[in-house]
Amino acid sequence: MQQLTHLDRLEAESIHILREVVAEAQNPVMLYSIGKDSAVMLHLARKAFYPSPPPFPLLHVDTTWKFRDMYALRDKMARESGMELLVYQNPEALERGINPFDHGPLHTDMWKTEGLKQALDKYGFDAAFGGARRDEEKSRAKERIFSFRTATHAWDPKNQRPELWNLYNARKNKGESIRVFPISNWTELDIWQYIMKEQIEIVPLYMAAARPTVERDGLLLMVDDDRFPLLPGEEPVMRSIRFRTLGCYPLTGAVESTASTLPEVVQEMLLTTTSERQGRVIDKDGGDASMEKKKQEGYF
Amino acid sequence: MADPTALDPIYKTDALIAENIDAYLELHQNKSMLRFITCGSVDDGKSTLIGRLLYDSKMIFEDQLAALEADSKRVGTQGGDIDFALLVDGLAAEREQGITIDVAYRFFATEKRKFIVADTPGHEQYTRNMVTGASTADLAVILIDARKGVLTQTKRHSYLAHLIGIRHLVLAVNKMDLVGYDRAVFDSIVEDYAAFAREIGIEAFTPIPISGFKGDNITIAPSDNTPWYEGPSLIHHLETVEIADTAAQAQSFRMPVQWVNRPNLDFRGFSGLISSGEISPGKEVRIVPSGKTSRVKSIVTLNGDLDVAVAGQSITLTLEDEVDCSRGDVISIADNPPQVADQFEATVVWMSDEAMIPGRGYWLKLATQTVTATVAEPKYEINVNTMEHLAAKTLRLNSIGVAEVTTDRPLTFEPYSDSRTLGGFILIDKITNATVAAGMIHFSLRRAQNVHWQALEIGREQHAALKGQRPAVLWFTGLSGSGKSTIANLVEKKLHALGKHSFLLDGDNIRHGLNKDLGFTEADRIENIRRVGEVAKLMADAGLIVLTAFISPFRAEREMVRSMLPEGEFIEIFVDTPLSVAEERDVKGLYRKARSGELKNFTGIDSPYEAPEKPEIRIDTTTTSPEAAADLIAERILGVWTPDL
């Protein structure tokens, strides 16, 4: 008898899901957001199809406002995995100069929600892998692993296909698509443990270092480039910070920390008293049911 | 009293994390994983129990707790105390109604195990959700309100858990605080439940007196309030029961092939999740259904080749020989392969608003195999409250029945009681693609095992060669009065004149003979088409060009006939006549009768016609005369044949 650990079983389940999609979908793609969850998902894909490279491209729906370290790792991982990297920027958002400083919620809506829909339509992808986890947020806890979307990308939480055993129904009509979440059953701790066990490369911003910051609206923001408009009297201050999640740098709050190694980061995570998404501004628009509403509109 | 240290679960020891993170990580690197479901009625305190498990395992962060406290005061049902249920009830609509309406998955961990909890609703109309949640579970926690005892719902949940093959049942008698922690109350409930459990064949269960709200016997047992209780705490029990995957390692090796990995000409690997047993290089394996054998050459992973792999692992195998093997095949140990059959008895749980239609073709997915399957009228339906067998003509949403399932191709399977992977299947509607049912195979029917295909010396090629033609089925479909029979007749005359051997199956004529026992209900119409399809197939096997003229209103049945025939032999001809035109012609006076209500289930009037989406040939009768249509069809058909003549 060989006792499989929880990481062994989570890995096996995720690989099974990745392979089912490749076997049954016509034109799959992996949404790659460069965060730690994406890093794990990409690593699992490389394991699932080894020695072949994963037989689908990576898609980064870009907002032009990610951290510079993220862009660097993105390009490196695409090279190493031997996968095609598609970068999509919503042309309308680009033209109108939509940014998180001046446009508030419109920034997420146009770059991410609209950008994603446009990219999926443009390339005709019928299945898109995403790195969402059920422990992140309450409405995600009820979403299926194979989450069906109508031709207009809408999600109907009341009309989800029952998902039995590990049998996934990937059938759909023309124009419809599925979002697939291979790491649905992983928790934040599982992700960190797996990153350590498999020595997966992640963006260095997860580890503490001295970085230029300003404090605004209760969030500690990093001044990652000179597009950051400083208010009168604001002066970037060097602080030892790290990030628990990564998104657009003007929307992502840092935490003050000295945890510069993975075990130290996990140590802090376990002893911390605030949940993961708290550092993100977008979840708070519209109060309690915010994420569920975004998902119905087509956000991942 | 048991050893108190064993009963003291350490979820997340802050001290160890703070002092020695490496030791803590080492400890947590080697956890096992258990999936379980909680089932109970609306007020049994299920969400509260799960909220409590998350809370006690410190899976709730300070900001969530602050939100929880605020919500508890605003909409809570515990008089301002923390309402753990609010943590768990996710979707906006159900938070307002105060009930859980779908399957939700929760996570928590102790030092020994990671747990995935499927939270499933207690309402009767949601049987499908419970079956869904239970399908991946190793264990079920059946919640009972100590004040109410064993209810109809308790029996239903236990029956479903047992049906889906869960071997570990926990009877959590909840709200003990509200009955003064009275031992007599607990004992009497356990006795009632034991009697019921015996009746339905549950061999063992673990009863635990708890209070999800107050926390008794959740993490430490016995609690001060139940000194009379000698069993384990809920958590201790969850940490120590055997996991199904581990048990499966003792069975014979099986791996359904998901995907063939071919990066270059020198490498050919077979990828899949091992469903039972273990495998290592050198072992002799058999590919099912082909029966070919080979030996395992290597087990390939990104982190290097493995010496052994076991049930529950996703792997890629290479074999010593170049044997045919693709998605849908099962690689098994050579001396004990799984069975192959095309007819089964199965328990079917119906999960769609649209009732089952006996005889209709559905996609059946089992492991990595997808075939067309039909379900016969159920032998009986099971009343999930009383376990009685009821007579049934069909299965509706949330009903469970036992029926014969027939597939168009042989399936590699095992009884569900031996293997969830090779015995459990889903049915998918061919038009909407919705998952409409789940099924569990009992056994293959003797008929399938004993009626072997007669290997015929003179096959369809020989029949066709003698006639100097390629067989085909020209399937005319369209509304009553659209002109199907007229055009089909003209086409046959042309074929006959050209020396082709043909036969015309006409709707009305068939209904006078072969199908005179059938009426016009949806089920009878499907059976009508199925028989015509089978006859047409036999005639095509005999080398004939078959013409059929039937309304055949349902897309699924036309697709079923298409799938019976070799690729390219089924030619769907849509005789496209608008309803208003057909009704105006009304050659047989049927539309008039249908409009007056004299004739029921008439296509186009009170029964739907599903037009073909991609017919091989479409005839617009408002612009094309029957003669022109016949010319066009003959030309298309002969065009295809000419090279062979």
Side-chain angles (χ1 to χ4, degrees):
Chain A
M1 285 291 142
Q2 188 180 335
Q3 183 76 54
L4 297 181
T5 68
H6 69 299
L7 292 178
D8 293 335
R9 290 184 63 199
L10 289 169
E11 177 188 79
E13 178 186 70
S14 301
I15 288 176
H16 174 78
I17 293 163
L18 287 155
R19 289 171 175 167
E20 277 302 286
V21 173
V22 163
E24 297 214 340
Q26 270 89 51
N27 191 14
V29 68
M30 178 170 281
L31 298 183
Y32 182 59
S33 71
I34 326 161
K36 65 183 194 309
D37 299 330
S38 274
V40 166
M41 182 167 65
L42 173 58
H43 184 78
L44 289 163
R46 293 175 72 182
K47 289 190 100 162
F49 303 103
Y50 178 84
S52 298
F56 42 78
L58 291 170
L59 172 65
H60 180 220
V61 178
D62 190 18
T63 65
T64 72
W65 289 95
K66 301 292 170 191
F67 292 91
R68 283 176 300 171
D69 279 352
M70 293 173 72
Y71 292 115
L73 184 70
R74 177 192 73 186
D75 297 343
K76 182 179 174 196
M77 290 316 294
R79 273 197 308 278
E80 275 185 14
S81 64
M83 296 163 77
E84 184 188 2
L85 171 68
L86 305 170
V87 177
Y88 186 85
Q89 299 170 341
N90 178 354
E92 195 193 340
L94 200 61
E95 193 187 323
R96 287 172 58 185
I98 300 297
N99 69 74
F101 298 106
D102 303 323
H103 301 104
L106 189 65
H107 170 77
T108 302
D109 182 57
M110 286 197 69
W111 284 112
K112 294 182 80 173
T113 309
E114 284 307 311
L116 174 62
K117 289 189 214 171
Q118 289 172 2
L120 294 177
D121 288 343
K122 174 181 170 184
Y123 294 103
F125 294 122
D126 64 341
F129 294 110
R133 308 190 320 263
R134 284 171 172 159
D135 80 325
E136 279 176 280
E137 202 269 334
K138 271 185 280 194
S139 79
R140 283 197 167 143
K142 304 205 166 183
E143 188 161 9
R144 303 289 187 259
I145 290 173
F146 279 52
S147 189
F148 185 77
R149 294 293 194 277
T150 64
T152 56
H153 302 282
W155 179 58
D156 178 2
K158 292 284 188 325
N159 191 23
Q160 300 194 78
R161 292 173 179 176
E163 215 155 71
L164 290 113
W165 300 290
N166 55 8
L167 278 178
Y168 302 104
N169 173 2
R171 290 186 173 269
K172 59 213 167 301
N173 287 318
K174 208 169 152 44
E176 297 166 343
S177 60
I178 41 174
R179 311 278 167 92
V180 182
F181 304 106
I183 57 168
S184 284
N185 288 328
W186 296 57
T187 62
E188 189 179 7
L189 179 59
D190 298 329
I191 293 285
W192 284 118
Q193 285 183 302
Y194 193 70
I195 286 170
M196 285 189 272
K197 176 171 172 269
E198 298 281 312
Q199 301 180 339
I200 299 168
E201 185 168 356
I202 54 170
V203 182
L205 295 163
Y206 285 111
M207 263 74 79
R211 297 182 172 108
T213 61
V214 296
E215 207 176 332
R216 192 181 281 180
D217 303 329
L219 286 182
L220 204 52
L221 299 175
M222 176 175 164
V223 184
D224 194 48
D225 59 40
D226 53 18
R227 291 181 294 174
F228 194 106
L230 294 170
L231 301 174
E234 263 183 354
E235 183 77 29
V237 178
M238 293 302 280
R239 289 185 174 94
S240 179
I241 56 158
R242 65 179 187 87
F243 292 87
R244 299 189 58 201
T245 63
L246 293 175
C248 293
Y249 80 80
L251 292 173
T252 309
V255 290
E256 287 203 73
S257 165
T258 54
S260 58
T261 66
L262 280 173
E264 282 169 7
V265 167
V266 175
Q267 183 175 36
E268 244 183 43
M269 190 271 291
L270 290 171
L271 295 174
T272 197
T273 51
T274 49
S275 65
E276 189 177 357
R277 297 191 73 87
Q278 205 206 17
R280 283 208 200 166
V281 183
I282 56 163
D283 280 0
K284 292 186 183 154
D285 307 336
D288 206 28
S290 164
M291 180 61 85
E292 189 179 339
K293 190 165 155 284
K294 283 201 166 60
K295 289 173 79 77
Q296 287 176 10
E297 288 162 359
Y299 181 71
F300 216 79
Chain B
M1 283 252 315
D3 173 10
T5 55
L7 296 176
D8 182 18
I10 309 155
Y11 283 108
K12 194 173 94 172
T13 14
D14 287 3
L16 182 62
I17 296 167
E19 281 157 26
N20 190 344
I21 183 66
D22 294 327
Y24 173 88
L25 288 171
E26 178 66 33
L27 200 61
H28 278 260
Q29 199 75 259
N30 297 311
K31 282 181 291 197
S32 57
M33 187 165 99
L34 182 87
R35 292 170 182 257
F36 69 95
I37 57 163
T38 53
C39 12
S41 310
V42 187
D43 300 317
D44 287 343
K46 193 160 35 83
S47 295
T48 304
L49 175 66
I50 296 173
R52 159 70 66 180
L53 292 170
L54 300 181
Y55 179 79
D56 281 356
S57 62
K58 303 203 173 87
M59 300 304 271
I60 301 172
F61 292 101
E62 201 173 72
D63 56 330
Q64 290 177 323
L65 197 59
L68 176 65
E69 279 167 359
D71 282 357
S72 296
K73 292 206 173 69
R74 196 161 51 85
V75 290
T77 56
Q78 302 295 337
D81 280 347
I82 288 185
D83 186 352
F84 291 113
L86 293 177
L87 262 180
V88 179
D89 290 343
L91 299 179
E94 69 197 70
R95 294 191 67 173
E96 284 152 23
Q97 295 164 19
I99 50 160
T100 313
I101 56 167
D102 201 274
V103 191
Y105 297 90
R106 308 284 160 194
F107 308 87
F108 70 98
T110 67
E111 274 185 3
K112 296 199 178 85
R113 276 194 176 157
K114 170 187 166 114
F115 297 97
I116 301 181
V117 192
D119 182 12
T120 61
H123 282 10
E124 180 158 24
Q125 62 267 42
Y126 291 124
T127 291
R128 77 168 204 174
N129 293 338
M130 182 176 154
V131 169
T132 303
S135 70
T136 52
D138 298 295
L139 175 147
V141 176
I142 311 271
L143 274 156
I144 286 191
D145 184 332
R147 296 168 303 175
K148 295 180 186 158
V150 177
L151 300 177
T152 302
Q153 288 97 313
T154 316
K155 295 183 177 176
R156 180 164 69 230
H157 298 147
S158 305
Y159 171 72
L160 291 174
H162 182 60
L163 177 80
I164 207 88
I166 293 178
R167 300 213 168 119
H168 304 287
L169 286 186
V170 171
L171 184 73
V173 181
N174 194 20
K175 305 198 182 180
M176 285 300 292
D177 52 318
L178 298 182
V179 296
Y181 299 100
D182 186 346
R183 177 177 193 167
V185 171
F186 176 72
D187 287 348
S188 138
I189 289 173
V190 172
E191 201 176 303
D192 280 357
Y193 187 80
F196 160 74
R198 268 195 305 276
E199 243 173 71
I200 65 165
I202 294 173
E203 284 164 17
F205 64 95
T206 307
I208 306 177
I210 64 164
S211 166
F213 180 54
K214 302 278 187 196
D216 297 284
N217 296 329
I218 302 294
T219 59
I220 300 172
S223 85
D224 292 343
N225 295 315
T226 59
W228 44 266
Y229 173 67
E230 290 174 348
S233 69
L234 178 60
I235 283 293
H236 179 66
H237 183 67
L238 294 175
E239 278 184 327
T240 48
V241 294
E242 190 187 33
I243 293 161
D245 262 4
T246 313
Q249 288 181 31
Q251 294 174 280
S252 296
F253 172 75
R254 275 117 180 69
M255 184 187 89
V257 175
Q258 280 188 285
W259 190 69
V260 179
N261 193 339
R262 277 224 92 162
N264 54 56
L265 291 176
D266 302 326
F267 187 93
R268 191 150 161 270
F270 304 101
S271 300
L273 177 62
I274 303 176
S275 63
S276 63
E278 58 168 57
I279 195 71
S280 46
K283 286 259 176 73
E284 192 179 14
V285 291
R286 187 180 300 274
I287 316 294
V288 185
S290 77
K292 299 259 167 46
T293 59
S294 181
R295 280 180 195 283
V296 175
K297 188 167 157 198
S298 60
I299 306 168
V300 181
T301 80
L302 179 70
N303 307 27
D305 287 3
L306 300 180
D307 296 330
V308 63
V310 300
Q313 281 182 292
S314 283
I315 57 164
T316 296
L317 289 178
T318 62
L319 301 177
E320 294 284 359
D321 309 282
E322 279 272 332
V323 287
D324 269 349
C325 183
S326 53
R327 179 173 169 85
D329 291 342
V330 176
I331 301 181
S332 83
I333 201 72
D335 57 11
N336 184 22
Q339 305 172 54
V340 176
D342 60 5
Q343 203 165 34
F344 312 90
E345 184 187 280
T347 297
V348 176
V349 182
W350 204 256
M351 301 188 157
S352 165
D353 290 327
E354 223 172 281
M356 176 183 101
I357 298 175
R360 165 161 289 184
Y362 296 97
W363 294 117
L364 179 153
K365 185 172 180 188
L366 181 147
T368 57
Q369 306 166 80
T370 303
V371 300
T372 296
T374 56
V375 186
E377 267 186 21
K379 292 180 176 166
Y380 55 86
E381 185 185 333
I382 297 157
N383 177 327
V384 290
N385 295 324
T386 62
M387 319 312 144
E388 280 175 316
H389 295 181
L390 310 170
K393 292 272 179 209
T394 179
L395 294 173
R396 297 196 162 73
L397 177 63
N398 290 315
S399 59
I400 299 177
V402 170
E404 278 182 26
V405 177
T406 307
T407 57
D408 68 338
R409 277 182 290 135
L411 270 184
T412 306
F413 81 101
E414 289 189 288
Y416 184 78
S417 54
D418 291 345
S419 167
R420 285 192 189 186
T421 304
L422 287 173
F425 61 84
I426 55 171
L427 297 178
I428 300 168
D429 185 288
K430 287 195 168 187
I431 305 300
T432 65
N433 294 317
T435 303
V436 293
M440 289 152 280
I441 293 180
H442 300 174
F443 43 76
S444 69
L445 292 165
R446 217 172 284 142
R447 229 185 304 171
Q449 284 169 337
N450 293 342
V451 181
H452 294 291
W453 280 105
Q454 191 65 42
L456 300 168
E457 304 268 329
I458 304 296
R460 62 196 325 273
E461 285 79 17
Q462 287 81 357
H463 289 301
L466 192 64
K467 297 182 178 67
Q469 61 187 35
R470 279 230 330 236
V473 174
L474 309 185
W475 190 276
F476 292 79
T477 173
L479 293 170
S480 175
S482 59
K484 296 181 298 296
S485 297
T486 310
I487 298 172
N489 259 308
L490 289 169
V491 173
E492 197 184 24
K493 271 162 72 179
K494 281 184 193 297
L495 294 174
H496 190 75
L498 289 164
K500 303 295 171 199
H501 299 262
S502 63
F503 195 85
L504 172 59
L505 292 168
D506 183 81
D508 287 348
N509 297 350
I510 292 283
R511 278 189 176 276
H512 282 122
L514 177 64
N515 290 355
K516 70 177 170 193
D517 57 327
L518 300 177
F520 288 88
T521 61
E522 203 169 337
D524 279 357
R525 284 171 167 239
I526 290 168
E527 177 59 14
N528 183 40
I529 297 306
R530 189 191 68 80
R531 290 185 196 172
V532 172
E534 292 287 358
V535 171
K537 177 177 181 282
L538 288 173
M539 289 184 164
D541 282 350
L544 295 177
I545 296 161
V546 188
L547 302 92
T548 71
F550 294 82
I551 298 172
S552 47
F554 305 120
R555 221 172 274 147
E557 278 62 63
R558 297 192 301 263
E559 287 308 304
M560 176 175 74
V561 179
R562 184 188 292 274
S563 68
M564 288 177 190
L565 290 157
E567 179 106 24
E569 282 191 17
F570 181 84
I571 294 154
E572 189 174 28
I573 301 169
F574 178 28
V575 183
D576 191 357
T577 304
L579 179 63
S580 55
V581 177
E583 189 167 356
E584 206 183 298
R585 291 181 195 156
D586 206 3
V587 193
K588 299 172 196 161
L590 297 175
Y591 283 96
R592 191 183 44 78
K593 284 188 186 168
R595 287 287 182 202
S596 70
E598 220 177 303
L599 201 55
K600 289 278 172 218
N601 295 320
F602 194 75
T603 300
I605 308 297
D606 57 351
S607 184
Y609 179 77
E610 298 169 357
E613 278 171 344
K614 275 182 255 159
E616 274 74 10
I617 300 174
R618 177 177 164 273
I619 304 294
D620 181 347
T621 63
T622 59
T623 56
T624 313
S625 71
E627 290 74 19
D631 283 343
L632 191 136
I633 293 163
E635 198 174 303
R636 274 285 294 275
I637 304 306
L638 296 178
V640 175
W641 297 328
T642 312
D644 278 1
L645 287 175

